[in-house]
Amino acid sequence: MPPDHTAAADNTGTPSPIFAIQKARTRFFGLTFDETIRVFFGGNAFVAVIVLALITFFLFREGSQFFGQNRDSLRTYRLAGLEYVDIIRQQEEDHTALTRYLFDIRLKAVVKLTEEGVDAAEAKRRLAKFDDYAERYGDTIVPVRGLVSELTEVATDIKTRYNENEDYKVARQQFLASGMKAEAEAIVVKNLDFSREILAITGTFPAYEQINTEYAEALKAAIAELPVLPVPELQPRLERFRELNREYLATFPTRTELLKNWNNNAPVGWSESFTQFIFGTRWLTASFWQDWYGIIPLFVGSLMISAIALFIAVPLGVGAAIYVNQIATPQEQKLIKPAIEFISAIPSVVLGFFGIAVLGQALRALSQWEALSWVPGFPYSERLNALTAGCLLALIAVPTIFTLAEDAINNVPRAFKEASFALGASRMQTIVRIIVPAALSGIVSAVLLGLGRVMGETMVVLLCAGNRIAIPDFTAGITAFVQPVHTMTGIIAQEMGEVVRGGIHYRALFVVGLVLFFIALLLNFLAQKIVRKYRISIG
Amino acid sequence: MEKSTFWVFRLATYLILIAGFSVFGDIVVKGSATVFGAFKTTSTFPYFTNTFLTEAPESLYVFEHKGEKREMGDREYRAFREKETAAALAAGQPAPQFKADSYVYSAGGIWPCIVGTVLLVVGSMTIALLLGVSSAIFLSEYARDGAFVRFVRLAILNLAGVPSIVFGLFGFGMFVIYFDWNVSLLAGWFTLAFMVLPVVITASEEALKAVPKGFREGSLALGATKWQTIRSNVLPYALPGILTSSILGIARVAGETAPIMFTAAYVVRDKLPWDVEKISDFFFQGVMALPYHIYVVSSKIPQNEYTARVQYGTAFVFLGIVALIAASSIVLRNKLRGRYKW
Amino acid sequence: MDTPAATPASRTFNVPATASAADGAQTLIEIDSFDFYYGAKQALFDINLRLADKRVTAFIGPSGCGKSTLLRCLNRMNDLIDGTSVKRGNVKIRGIDIYGRDVDSIELRKRVGMVFQKSNPFPKSIYENITYGLRIQGVKSKARLDEVVEKSLRGAALWDEVKDRLHESGLGLSGGQQQRLCIARTIAVEPEVILMDEPCSALDPIATAKVEELIHELKKQFTIIIVTHSMQQAARCSDQTAFFYMGKLVEFGETRDIFMNPKNPQTEAYVSGRFG
């Protein structure tokens, strides 16, 4: 308090002739008390920015080495010859798929015969020829299979010895680092000469060529004389089988070429490590053979569950928003809004528990109900699947979508509505033609934010999605939606507690987190962009 | 035609409510049996206790004894077995064989989880309120439109959309590993606080904005400094609003599982949080928490009649707590809206 | 004695040379070639004005003419709005440039008080409302605060009405009382200048009359500048009047002259009610 002012105040009625308004505040580090407070609050506001930066930083910090480790893993995969073995194994697996095709035909034939009133023994007798054929066909692969299992052992052995050696090296380094020279000396590191070791695998190439030629001959012979089915309608399928075999045979030369030119020293690039993650279709961990970290099965799972959730939540949420804002009486509004807000407060883990305890079973029972058998995918047997999780996530997305969509509808200027009524439009026409289009971008951004909420939700999918790490089988069309899936959020929650810190699996989970993080930012960005546009258009 | 379309919308609305309340109803009906069935009389004041709310989880043993089916908690079962064996030996008979099925966590109660959840909520909300209200004061009172503020607002908006599991990963990477706090209360506090920060900031800013401009101008025109104005003429009037809206943040903090899975929660812990040797140990200990306990009991143990008791009971208590918090927020807010008309 | 005969204002606008010095008052506020901007939009153009001590000056003009903006420039309340800036000219009070580098706007506001269009008592007791200004300056003595409360309330002609309920909320008063409470609150910190931004626009005629009466009393102690929409009010309670139009000062002079004998045709049109 400046002294002159006190004087003025005491000296009532006669203001001081000196007009003292000069700065006279105590300063610390050049800041007045007030400015210090301002800086303090500003610093706090900056925390949000810092946190966002820290999230990015720590996800990168823990995840960034993944691609290097994955590259090493892929390099070992190649150096130790596992890749070579997998090329042949693929051939074997393709054959297995064709065998399965034959079994499928047989199954259909049996069904058909049973429908015709043929008993099981008789059906078996009539199919004897076919079975005989199928068996012979299946046996053609045996030599190849033998080779594969032999090579698998060799390759595994090489890889194991290599990994052991790497561990020794690390141990030795650690001993040296902590000054224990004697212990370090005691560890014998035998560096593996891959180019020599690999001969045990690539050396079998002539043998493979021979086996393969014989195998090809056997296949050709097999498809030359197809068996006659007791069910004539299925005969075209056998023709198709022949066609598939021809296609299969056509791949043989490329495969042989691939094996011939295969080189265990071919460099593994960063891009390979990266594409194996982004486009990889296998998430396979703790495997004795080779671990794969491909995000696609998880991503597809997340996407599929989100799609189900939004499919349910968007009509309900937007419909409810229109109803509450445009149609409902004020009393109803007063009731519904808090109620929906209340639903949004139900913790997701409770919803997940409800899914396990009640909804999974209820939905399965519903699917087994005769009257609903027309629904694709019904009936199904897995209690926990994408549909169960999707339904629960819909309940999580609805409040978000409802609240934001209701806001958007509320922001449509009254004048629009009044003008429409003045032109003689009915309430329904006004809603459909005026209000919803005017609020559309707001609604779209609401849906995007709802999607973000659903994609990022963890507990429900962890508990209810079935947690099978595989890309759902889309060949059966829409029925894929009742298959169990795994998700990006779920995999982190499930596996984070079990992995070795600093290991490749651990880092892979952080990279998945990073992907989730950027998806969330992207959705947020899009939602904001749409809303901003919308503001301008309303003016 | 128009009528029927209206009915479609009405149906959508009520379908949501029905879905929500059937979840709620199922858990309340089945869970309340556990909780209210656990009242027991005691010999000391207040002459009753609720074993489900006050005991720690135990394994449940189900066995047949002398043709009778018995269910017992871990401690009770051991005592019973010893007693029976001793009795049999005393009577010169061979020791009875006990073949029991055991179900983990299915007996006893959830007291440590309740304690843990309360500790997590109190700590994280304290941090979140300190940071959040300060940020809101800056944004609403001090900030002038500019690159910095736009940047901050953008960060807040984006932070709000970050999935909770990502917060969990971040908390794990930063607090648990980098700061080496291990799985601890402190790590959980900060992780949850950062997660709820956008909610608190937005709520606080709204409450601050609701204080009429005239209060600020009037105060400034009397020669008050900005901080004096905020402290005596803005904050006191915004505080009820800030706290009310922040309750929603509390509901969120209490309800989240993913962020605490790797940062603060233990599957099981024998000691209660205050059983520590040093004060500092208090902050660096993991705790049991209700949401995580629900996850554990619903995914790690089978679903059957013996486990349903604790599953539904935990879910009921948890839902009850969160619902109470959320409801009080909604009610308080409606009250405030009526009261503060300047 | 300062004679503003040669001020730019009088030259530009042909205001009678002796306007502000007619009754021998001292010049308190000098505004020179003052340009003011909201962002890129210029709100005030080259304002030149001399305001006398212990007089009531009214700023009149149609909405958006800049009169309130100028008023708020006099205690730098405009500083609080984003993007405002003074591009040219200066405002001096007692010869001190209030936009000078070493001026503390907080100190300035203690000496130049303000009453707002919408009465804004704090939601505290009447007593606390009055003592707020002193408390934030660190005055703690109960006796002194009591004394100031009574004096200020008497000064605002509110004492008799509220003396029995000093500790009730200021929001419980009627609109006119609230506005007088705000005036009392302002005079409690003993400013030299009181700025009034349409203080009666929300009041009924009786309350308005009371406030106008009060203004008459207050000018013995304070220099008062009042922005008003009502020409009658300007005519009733001001000594001098400045007419603004489109951010420019059109005419300034003795109130009687402005209303009876305006020099500028725009002024004439406005005061005779042809526009605005």
Side-chain angles (χ1 to χ4, degrees):
Chain A
M1 187 172 46
D4 58 297
H5 190 268
T6 329
D10 285 335
N11 211 349
T12 43
T14 47
S16 153
I18 311 154
F19 195 71
I21 55 172
Q22 271 78 11
K23 286 178 182 164
R25 287 172 192 277
T26 334
R27 286 170 179 274
F28 336 82
F29 303 110
L31 293 173
T32 64
F33 178 62
D34 239 53
E35 283 162 336
T36 315
I37 284 176
R38 184 195 150 95
V39 168
F40 168 73
F41 286 137
N44 274 297
F46 203 60
V47 165
V49 180
I50 294 172
V51 169
L52 208 59
L54 281 177
I55 291 177
T56 322
F57 173 74
F58 276 97
L59 291 184
F60 266 113
R61 182 175 180 269
E62 298 297 324
S64 61
Q65 286 171 43
F66 165 75
F67 291 107
Q69 289 183 348
N70 198 27
R71 189 177 163 212
D72 289 344
S73 158
L74 290 172
R75 189 182 288 148
T76 316
Y77 175 68
R78 181 165 293 171
L79 279 172
L82 276 70
E83 189 183 43
Y84 184 89
V85 182
D86 272 346
I87 295 172
I88 310 179
R89 193 195 305 278
Q90 188 58 48
Q91 190 176 18
E92 185 203 329
E93 278 167 9
D94 288 349
H95 178 91
T96 313
L98 287 168
T99 319
R100 220 177 292 131
Y101 191 86
L102 275 182
F103 280 134
D104 193 42
I105 294 175
R106 185 182 191 274
L107 192 71
K108 287 204 163 71
V110 170
V111 170
K112 190 83 193 161
L113 288 173
T114 319
E115 273 176 16
E116 285 168 7
V118 181
D119 71 4
E122 172 63 14
K124 198 171 178 214
R125 201 188 57 74
R126 285 198 208 171
L127 281 167
K129 268 228 170 85
F130 178 80
D131 288 348
D132 186 42
Y133 174 79
E135 198 174 316
R136 267 188 288 123
Y137 178 82
D139 284 347
T140 51
I141 194 73
V142 169
V144 179
R145 192 172 285 154
L147 183 68
V148 167
S149 74
E150 241 171 66
L151 290 180
T152 301
E153 263 167 45
V154 178
T156 314
D157 177 55
I158 299 174
K159 188 182 170 184
T160 314
R161 276 187 291 139
Y162 171 73
N163 282 342
E164 272 171 10
N165 251 336
E166 291 297 298
D167 290 346
Y168 286 146
K169 273 188 204 162
V170 172
R172 200 186 150 126
Q173 286 298 323
Q174 282 168 348
F175 277 131
L176 281 176
S178 51
M180 292 187 271
K181 234 180 163 182
E183 284 88 340
E185 296 297 327
I187 294 174
V188 188
V189 178
K190 289 175 286 183
N191 271 326
L192 229 55
D193 182 2
F194 278 115
S195 52
R196 221 188 50 203
E197 299 280 347
I198 201 69
L199 291 179
I201 292 173
T202 49
T204 60
F205 183 68
Y208 167 76
E209 262 191 322
Q210 197 193 336
I211 291 171
N212 204 33
T213 323
E214 283 163 18
Y215 170 48
E217 289 307 318
L219 273 185
K220 277 180 198 149
I223 58 172
E225 33 105 27
L226 287 174
V228 179
L229 275 168
V231 186
E233 300 97 288
L234 287 171
Q235 206 62 36
R237 297 198 63 138
L238 268 181
E239 290 300 326
R240 174 76 188 136
F241 173 71
R242 192 204 301 261
E243 193 50 40
L244 286 172
N245 266 294
R246 288 211 179 106
E247 281 167 22
Y248 175 52
L249 276 166
T251 63
F252 281 24
T254 23
R255 201 176 300 270
T256 317
E257 201 63 16
L258 208 62
L259 288 172
K260 196 168 154 190
N261 295 331
W262 183 84
N263 170 15
N264 78 329
N265 259 322
V268 179
W270 285 104
S271 65
E272 205 161 325
S273 165
F274 191 71
T275 42
Q276 278 295 350
F277 177 77
I278 292 292
F279 302 110
T281 54
R282 280 176 293 181
W283 180 279
L284 198 68
T285 56
S287 147
F288 81 99
W289 180 247
Q290 171 72 11
D291 286 356
W292 296 101
Y293 301 94
I295 201 174
I296 290 293
L298 308 172
F299 184 75
V300 169
S302 284
L303 215 58
M304 211 166 82
I305 292 180
S306 307
I308 299 169
L310 288 188
F311 181 76
I312 300 167
V314 170
L316 287 185
V318 175
I322 293 171
Y323 179 73
V324 167
N325 196 278
Q326 298 289 325
I327 305 168
T329 60
Q331 287 93 330
E332 257 183 316
Q333 277 190 19
K334 261 192 198 144
L335 194 84
I336 294 169
K337 277 182 159 187
I340 290 185
E341 215 172 307
F342 202 72
I343 290 174
S344 77
I346 299 179
S348 61
V349 71
V350 172
L351 283 178
F353 166 65
F354 180 78
I356 283 193
V358 179
L359 188 73
Q361 241 130 4
L363 281 179
R364 185 171 58 182
L366 192 74
S367 84
Q368 282 156 359
W369 192 28
E370 281 289 316
L372 282 175
S373 58
W374 54 270
V375 179
F378 279 17
Y380 60 86
S381 56
E382 293 283 349
R383 184 168 58 104
L384 301 178
N385 56 35
L387 182 69
T388 314
C391 287
L392 288 166
L393 282 183
L395 203 56
I396 287 181
V398 156
T400 308
I401 295 177
F402 168 81
T403 313
L404 294 169
E406 212 254 345
D407 265 0
I409 293 169
N410 209 21
N411 282 340
V412 175
R414 254 191 99 71
F416 285 21
K417 195 174 162 183
E418 280 164 2
S420 169
F421 283 141
L423 290 171
S426 71
R427 249 165 101 189
M428 201 61 227
Q429 285 169 323
T430 310
I431 289 171
V432 171
R433 301 199 177 184
I434 303 295
I435 290 168
V436 171
L440 194 64
S441 38
I443 293 174
V444 170
S445 88
V447 171
L448 280 177
L449 290 175
L451 177 64
R453 187 103 172 65
V454 167
M455 281 277 243
E457 179 47 54
T458 310
M459 297 321 287
V460 165
V461 294
L462 180 60
L463 289 170
C464 301
N467 295 356
R468 190 184 72 181
I469 312 172
I471 298 176
D473 181 12
F474 284 110
T475 50
I478 202 157
T479 59
F481 287 99
V482 294
Q483 292 176 7
V485 294
H486 215 316
T487 55
M488 294 188 286
T489 49
I491 202 97
I492 298 173
Q494 195 184 28
E495 297 187 340
M496 197 65 204
E498 301 159 2
V499 297
V500 185
R501 267 178 213 182
I504 178 172
H505 190 178
Y506 168 89
R507 304 213 183 277
L509 293 177
F510 270 92
V511 180
V512 174
L514 212 53
V515 171
L516 266 174
F517 181 60
F518 284 121
I519 289 176
L521 292 190
L522 181 75
L523 286 176
N524 236 331
F525 170 77
L526 288 179
Q528 284 164 40
K529 204 167 180 186
I530 289 168
V531 166
R532 217 171 297 139
K533 252 190 178 165
Y534 146 84
R535 285 223 179 100
I536 292 162
S537 72
I538 289 287
Chain B
M1 169 62 205
E2 180 155 323
K3 263 260 164 75
S4 63
T5 329
F6 282 176
W7 269 103
V8 171
F9 286 122
R10 186 168 289 152
L11 205 70
T13 313
Y14 284 97
L15 206 64
I16 296 171
L17 300 188
I18 289 167
F21 284 94
S22 55
V23 174
F24 202 71
D26 178 65
I27 286 164
V28 168
V29 168
K30 294 186 189 157
S32 53
T34 308
V35 176
F36 295 118
F39 280 107
K40 296 240 165 64
T41 49
T42 58
S43 55
T44 52
F45 185 78
Y47 303 110
F48 72 88
T49 181
N50 187 315
T51 53
F52 187 69
L53 296 180
T54 57
E55 286 183 358
E58 290 183 290
S59 294
L60 177 75
Y61 288 88
V62 181
F63 58 96
E64 267 187 33
H65 184 68
K66 292 183 180 155
E68 237 183 295
K69 196 159 200 187
R70 303 267 200 136
E71 289 174 34
M72 283 182 191
D74 192 29
R75 281 169 299 162
E76 200 188 346
Y77 173 65
R78 278 164 206 263
F80 180 79
R81 207 167 59 173
E82 266 169 36
K83 202 186 81 190
E84 288 293 308
T85 312
L89 288 178
Q93 290 163 346
Q97 293 291 312
F98 287 91
K99 267 191 211 152
D101 293 327
S102 73
Y103 302 97
V104 282
Y105 316 129
S106 300
I110 50 169
W111 173 238
C113 310
I114 298 176
V115 170
T117 296
V118 169
L119 283 178
L120 280 173
V121 168
V122 170
S124 56
M125 279 315 285
T126 310
I127 298 171
L129 278 174
L130 284 178
L131 287 175
V133 174
S134 305
S135 310
I137 289 177
F138 176 77
L139 290 174
S140 129
E141 306 297 321
Y142 286 100
R144 307 210 154 174
D145 212 20
F148 176 74
V149 172
R150 268 201 302 271
F151 194 49
V152 169
R153 286 192 191 283
L154 195 73
I156 293 169
L157 219 64
N158 280 314
L159 208 56
V162 173
S164 55
I165 187 84
V166 173
F167 275 104
L169 271 184
F170 154 69
F172 182 69
M174 176 157 167
F175 304 119
V176 177
I177 292 184
Y178 186 70
F179 287 176
D180 205 13
W181 290 350
N182 284 321
V183 173
S184 62
L185 264 183
L186 210 55
W189 283 348
F190 277 98
T191 309
L192 288 173
F194 285 164
M195 186 194 73
V196 81
L197 199 58
V199 179
V200 175
I201 294 177
T202 318
S204 309
E205 214 190 328
E206 228 163 74
L208 287 167
K209 289 250 159 81
V211 175
K213 220 170 115 199
F215 290 6
R216 299 183 179 87
E217 287 191 328
S219 168
L220 288 169
L222 290 171
T225 63
K226 197 117 195 178
W227 172 234
Q228 283 168 332
T229 301
I230 293 167
R231 200 190 54 206
S232 57
N233 249 331
V234 180
L235 262 188
Y237 310 121
L239 212 55
I242 292 175
L243 292 180
T244 313
S245 313
S246 296
I247 295 178
L248 269 189
I250 298 181
R252 175 116 199 261
V253 164
E256 279 291 355
T257 319
I260 58 170
M261 277 177 116
F262 336 118
T263 57
Y266 276 174
V267 176
V268 65
R269 188 158 190 275
D270 294 331
K271 283 187 193 165
L272 282 169
W274 41 79
D275 290 340
V276 286
E277 286 166 20
K278 292 179 294 179
I279 297 288
S280 65
D281 284 351
F282 178 79
F283 299 100
F284 294 104
Q285 62 177 341
V287 290
M288 293 181 76
L290 278 172
Y292 191 58
H293 194 63
I294 293 178
Y295 164 65
V296 171
V297 295
S298 56
S299 69
K300 306 279 193 241
I301 59 178
Q303 307 278 315
N304 60 37
E305 50 181 317
Y306 304 112
T307 57
R309 189 190 81 95
V310 69
Q311 288 170 342
Y312 269 102
T314 315
F316 171 64
V317 171
F318 182 46
L319 191 61
I321 292 175
V322 172
L324 212 66
I325 297 171
S328 63
S329 148
I330 294 169
V331 170
L332 272 175
R333 197 177 38 198
N334 285 348
K335 268 216 173 125
L336 275 187
R337 257 186 212 145
R339 192 148 57 108
Y340 284 97
K341 285 269 158 64
W342 283 286
Chain C
M1 203 97 338
D2 184 86
T3 316
T7 61
S10 54
R11 260 187 272 114
T12 320
F13 296 105
N14 304 318
V15 170
T18 52
S20 63
D23 57 359
Q26 208 174 2
T27 300
L28 179 70
I29 302 174
E30 302 157 72
I31 305 171
D32 287 315
S33 6
F34 192 70
D35 283 357
F36 186 81
Y37 288 78
Y38 287 116
K41 189 174 160 281
Q42 189 165 3
L44 293 176
F45 298 82
D46 192 35
I47 306 294
N48 293 282
L49 201 54
R50 292 283 182 277
L51 302 176
D53 199 5
K54 305 274 187 304
R55 301 281 298 268
V56 178
T57 309
F59 287 179
I60 61 168
S63 299
C65 67
K67 56 191 189 303
S68 281
T69 303
L70 182 61
L71 190 78
R72 293 170 66 95
C73 282
L74 298 181
N75 69 346
R76 291 182 57 175
M77 282 302 270
N78 280 334
D79 289 13
L80 306 169
I81 299 167
D82 277 356
T84 56
S85 58
V86 177
K87 290 268 166 75
R88 195 170 68 97
N90 56 51
V91 177
K92 283 183 186 158
I93 301 181
R94 278 203 200 286
I96 298 171
D97 181 1
I98 63 166
Y99 282 92
R101 252 176 191 287
D102 59 344
V103 166
D104 188 332
S105 57
I106 307 292
E107 293 300 323
L108 170 69
R109 288 186 205 122
K110 286 180 186 165
R111 320 307 296 272
V112 184
M114 186 161 194
V115 176
F116 297 86
Q117 177 171 10
K118 192 171 168 293
S119 63
N120 57 353
F122 306 132
K124 305 173 192 280
S125 71
I126 294 169
Y127 185 89
E128 282 176 68
N129 260 291
I130 307 284
T131 55
Y132 181 82
L134 291 178
R135 278 180 202 264
I136 57 176
Q137 288 173 29
V139 178
K140 289 205 179 74
S141 148
K142 176 92 169 78
R144 165 123 177 76
L145 291 176
D146 286 348
E147 179 199 326
V148 170
V149 168
E150 180 169 349
K151 193 167 71 86
S152 311
L153 283 173
R154 281 190 194 284
L158 196 61
W159 176 250
D160 293 329
E161 293 164 55
V162 301
K163 66 180 176 208
D164 299 326
R165 43 175 176 147
L166 288 178
H167 295 283
E168 286 171 28
S169 169
L171 289 173
L173 299 175
S174 72
Q177 287 173 326
Q178 283 191 8
Q179 195 58 293
R180 277 181 285 145
L181 175 64
C182 291
I183 293 172
R185 187 174 74 183
T186 307
I187 61 182
V189 293
E190 311 260 353
E192 291 189 36
V193 182
I194 298 177
L195 308 175
M196 296 187 175
D197 192 355
E198 302 189 34
C200 302
S201 67
L203 303 183
D204 61 56
I206 296 171
T208 303
K210 279 191 178 163
V211 172
E212 284 176 8
E213 216 173 285
L214 181 58
I215 291 172
H216 253 292
E217 280 302 307
L218 290 173
K219 83 174 185 188
K220 291 174 191 158
Q221 282 180 49
F222 306 99
T223 304
I224 294 173
I225 302 167
I226 177 169
V227 163
T228 178
H229 249 105
S230 148
M231 275 169 288
Q232 288 88 338
Q233 185 171 56
R236 279 195 300 266
C237 60
S238 72
D239 302 316
Q240 289 170 306
T241 298
F243 171 61
F244 293 85
Y245 184 61
M246 305 268 282
K248 294 189 175 91
L249 175 64
V250 177
E251 192 169 348
F252 174 61
E254 288 297 318
T255 301
R256 201 169 359 112
D257 292 340
I258 294 283
F259 281 94
M260 310 301 277
N261 192 16
K263 300 279 186 299
N264 190 299
Q266 275 176 327
T267 316
E268 191 183 2
Y270 183 72
V271 298
S272 60
R274 263 179 276 152
F275 81 95

